Amino acid sequence: MKNIQVNTTFTVYQSVDELPIDVKELMYKAIEVRKNAYAPYSKFRVGSALLLDNEKIVLGSNQENAAYPSGLCAERVAIFQSGAVYPDAKILKMVISAASDVNKTVTPIPPCGSCRQSIFEYEFKQNAPIEIYFMGESGEVYKSDSIKNLLPLSFDKNFL
Ligand code: THU
């Protein structure tokens, strides 16, 4: 037998103020669109903003449903919208901001497993990495250079 070691590196920014200016502006858009989340059940609001290589910005917030699994996370609302409206554009950066209506979220909130798989699909499709930045309501921002850090040993179409 043998072991496989997976190395993962994240860059940690102390706060949104420490981000590069273009990312900071993108994060402010994610914070703004987070307010449009339809989250009457979880009271947990997530906003996401994408910067595309055609300079467009695509936004998403989580949209819940009384039939719980019918809802969708902010990241997938944004990434599917980008695929639907700008199918040939590459996604350069994705930022995520999350906040609860009931308590203060000060740790970075990473994308859920289903969102990681969806982000991976688009990274694979465009054959170029997507920078991902995520944070809570305030506090540190984590940056990953690619979804691969968040989803090692990923499943792609080559397995089909
Ligand atoms: N949520 C997101 O929008 N993104 C994630 O990556 C994690 C969870 C949403 C889904 C649901 O509306 C609420 O947060 C609580 O899980």
Side-chain angles (χ1 to χ4, degrees), residues 38-44 63-68:
Y38 175 60
Y41 306 105
S42 71
K43 317 251 186 255
F44 192 76
Q63 301 295 315
E64 297 185 350
N65 195 287
Y68 285 13

Side-chain angles (χ1 to χ4, degrees), residues 13-70:
Y13 297 89
Q14 275 189 312
S15 77
V16 72
D17 295 323
E18 211 191 336
L19 292 170
I21 182 72
D22 62 324
V23 181
K24 196 196 292 192
E25 282 170 9
L26 208 56
M27 190 60 89
Y28 283 138
K29 289 192 192 305
I31 291 168
E32 201 52 39
V33 77
R34 193 183 75 203
K35 294 172 188 153
N36 297 343
Y38 175 60
Y41 306 105
S42 71
K43 317 251 186 255
F44 192 76
R45 298 170 184 277
V46 185
S48 181
L50 309 179
L51 175 66
L52 311 186
D53 69 349
N54 61 7
E55 295 178 3
K56 301 284 184 193
I57 289 173
V58 177
L59 306 174
S61 59
N62 54 322
Q63 301 295 315
E64 297 185 350
N65 195 287
Y68 285 13
S70 300

Side-chain angles (χ1 to χ4, degrees), residues 14-16 34 98 104-108 135-141:
Q14 275 189 312
S15 77
V16 72
R34 193 183 75 203
K104 196 159 161 69
T105 314
V106 293
T107 51
M135 66 178 296
E137 188 174 349
S138 62
E140 290 179 339
V141 184

Side-chain angles (χ1 to χ4, degrees), residues 120-160:
F120 180 81
E121 182 74 22
Y122 285 74
E123 205 177 273
F124 189 87
K125 174 187 163 216
Q126 69 183 31
N127 193 29
I130 301 172
E131 287 179 15
I132 304 169
Y133 298 78
F134 52 93
M135 66 178 296
E137 188 174 349
S138 62
E140 290 179 339
V141 184
Y142 283 9
K143 177 202 175 189
S144 171
D145 289 333
S146 157
I147 191 64
K148 287 181 181 147
N149 288 323
L150 287 155
L151 194 67
L153 303 182
S154 32
F155 181 84
D156 64 52
K157 75 180 175 68
N158 291 333
F159 293 117
L160 297 176

Side-chain angles (χ1 to χ4, degrees), residues 45-115:
R45 298 170 184 277
V46 185
S48 181
L50 309 179
L51 175 66
L52 311 186
D53 69 349
N54 61 7
E55 295 178 3
K56 301 284 184 193
I57 289 173
V58 177
L59 306 174
S61 59
N62 54 322
Q63 301 295 315
E64 297 185 350
N65 195 287
Y68 285 13
S70 300
L72 199 62
C73 293
E75 297 89 327
R76 276 177 288 161
V77 170
I79 209 157
F80 292 162
Q81 188 188 172
S82 139
V85 181
Y86 305 110
D88 300 322
K90 288 188 179 179
I91 301 162
L92 303 176
K93 297 171 199 232
M94 169 176 234
V95 308
I96 305 159
S97 160
S100 166
D101 289 345
V102 291
N103 49 41
K104 196 159 161 69
T105 314
V106 293
T107 51
I109 306 295
C112 79
S114 295
C115 287

